[in-house]
């Protein structure tokens, strides 16, 4: 802050470039832990009313008749990348049956991490389908509860039938280095996709 | 259950949209969760109408996202949007919407990657 040069860069109205990564997965799969392991602030709980304009009759049940909006809570964390760039991490609400509400959250995201608990593998199917459908880069991260791998990533890949270009990794969400590595894989994938499209 | 997470929030003393005089929509466009807000001035003759607005001005001394403001103030995003919109009308803050194209910009992705690697 002492340097005049720095102040000239930092003080104008120009805001930093913000990048966004979404952390998805079923209830209590470790999303808050994942965000907290790498965020420079304690994960914040943010309540938002998400729009449900696209809500069909088939989906009306779980929402208890809500027609215009439903309030969901998400985790928010952030990382300063450099003086002009910040990365925002959004941990989605627990229940993936609300995935169709998340178009606005995912808009402009670099990609997503789908956290998986192998004991409840089916809970991540909706998120995997959603990201595939959107064409959003994503990584499947198998959370190592108690630090123990109970399934080989190859088996998880097969069970989820994810395409070959989607990394499937083991990740102890409590360990910063694991979380970091997972994010690196995701951004590398996003970069490859951009390079491939160019 | 997650092993750790945000502390449980205190019960609200007032219903959230009381803070906005009952308005649920901002006058301007709906701000995205990752829109950043920045306070334009430190000398406040602007006299924000609520403690929440004052707190927003404090927090936004550094660019701060709508999502973070809602989390820090423990008020819903919808309320934050209205308060920030009001502050913007007063000229007390500037808002910077995210640029979705950043997610597919190779140069920016490379910077992001370098940054994450350097953590």
């Amino acid at each position: 802050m002492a340097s005049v040069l720095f102040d000239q860069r930092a003080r104008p109205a120009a805001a930093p470039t913000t990048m966004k990564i979404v952390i998805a997965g079923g209830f209590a799969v470790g999303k808050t832990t994942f965000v907290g392991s790498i965020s420079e602030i304690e994960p914040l709980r943010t309540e938002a009313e998400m729009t449900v304009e696209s809500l069909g009759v088939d989906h009306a049940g779980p929402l208890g008749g809500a027609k215009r909006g439903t309030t969901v809570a998400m985790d928010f964390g952030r990382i300063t990348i450099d003086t002009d760039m910040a990365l925002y991490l959004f941990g989605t609400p627990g229940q993936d049956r609300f995935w169709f509400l998340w178009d606005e959250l995912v808009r402009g995201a670099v990609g997503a991490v789908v956290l998986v608990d192998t004991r409840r593998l089916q809970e991540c199917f909706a998120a995997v389908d959603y990201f595939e459908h959107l064409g959003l880069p994503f990584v499947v991260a198998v959370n190592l509860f108690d630090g123990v791998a109970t399934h080989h990533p190859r088996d998880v890949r097969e069970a989820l039938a994810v395409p070959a270009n989607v990394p499937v990794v083991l990740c102890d969400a409590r360990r910063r280095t694991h979380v970091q590595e997972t994010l690196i894989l995701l951004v590398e994938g996003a970069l490859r996709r951009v390079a491939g499209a160019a | 259950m997650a092993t750790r997470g945000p502390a449980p929030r205190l019960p609200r003393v007032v219903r959230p949209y009381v803070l906005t005089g009952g308005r649920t929509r901002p006058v301007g466009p709906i701000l995205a969760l990752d829109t950043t807000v920045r306070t334009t001035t430190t000398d406040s003759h602007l006299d924000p109408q609520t403690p929440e607005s004052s707190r927003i001005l404090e927090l936004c001394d550094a660019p701060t996202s709508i999502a973070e403001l809602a989390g820090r103030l423990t008020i819903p995003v919808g309320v934050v949007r209205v308060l920030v919109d009001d502050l913007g009308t007063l000229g007390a803050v500037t808002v910077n919407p995210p640029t979705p194209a950043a997610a597919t910009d190779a140069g920016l992705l490379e910077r992001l990657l370098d940054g994450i690697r350097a953590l």
Side-chain angles (χ1 to χ4, degrees), chain A residues 10-12 15-16 19-20 28 32-33 36 41-43 45-47 76 78 82 85 88 90 108-109 180 188 194, chain B residues 1 3-6 9 12 34 36 38-39 61 63 65 67-68 71-72 76-77 96 102-104 108 111 116-117 119:
Chain A
R11 194 53 221 179
M19 307 295 264
K20 175 168 69 172
T32 311
T33 308
I41 55 170
E42 274 293 303
R45 187 183 151 89
T46 295
E47 270 185 25
F76 174 82
R78 68 170 151 78
D82 57 40
M85 183 184 282
Y88 292 157
F90 284 95
Q180 181 185 18
E188 283 174 346
V194 171
Chain B
M1 293 297 121
T3 50
R4 72 194 189 101
R9 49 182 45 203
R12 287 196 185 99
D34 47 345
T36 54
R38 184 146 206 211
T39 304
D61 190 43
S65 68
E68 178 161 349
R72 292 217 180 271
V77 167
N96 293 277
T104 50
L108 294 177
R111 256 171 74 194
I116 297 173
R117 283 187 174 133
L119 290 175

Side-chain angles (χ1 to χ4, degrees), chain B residues 7-62:
Chain B
R9 49 182 45 203
L10 297 168
R12 287 196 185 99
V13 181
V14 293
R15 300 200 48 84
Y17 283 94
V18 167
L19 299 173
T20 64
R23 290 166 303 141
T24 58
R25 311 280 286 190
V27 178
I30 302 284
L31 303 170
L33 292 165
D34 47 345
T35 289
T36 54
V37 183
R38 184 146 206 211
T39 304
T40 50
T41 173
T42 45
D43 59 344
S44 183
H45 58 282
L46 295 161
D47 190 26
Q49 297 186 339
T50 62
E52 285 75 15
S53 297
S54 304
R55 185 91 176 99
I56 289 173
L57 292 181
E58 269 170 49
L59 289 168
C60 294
D61 190 43

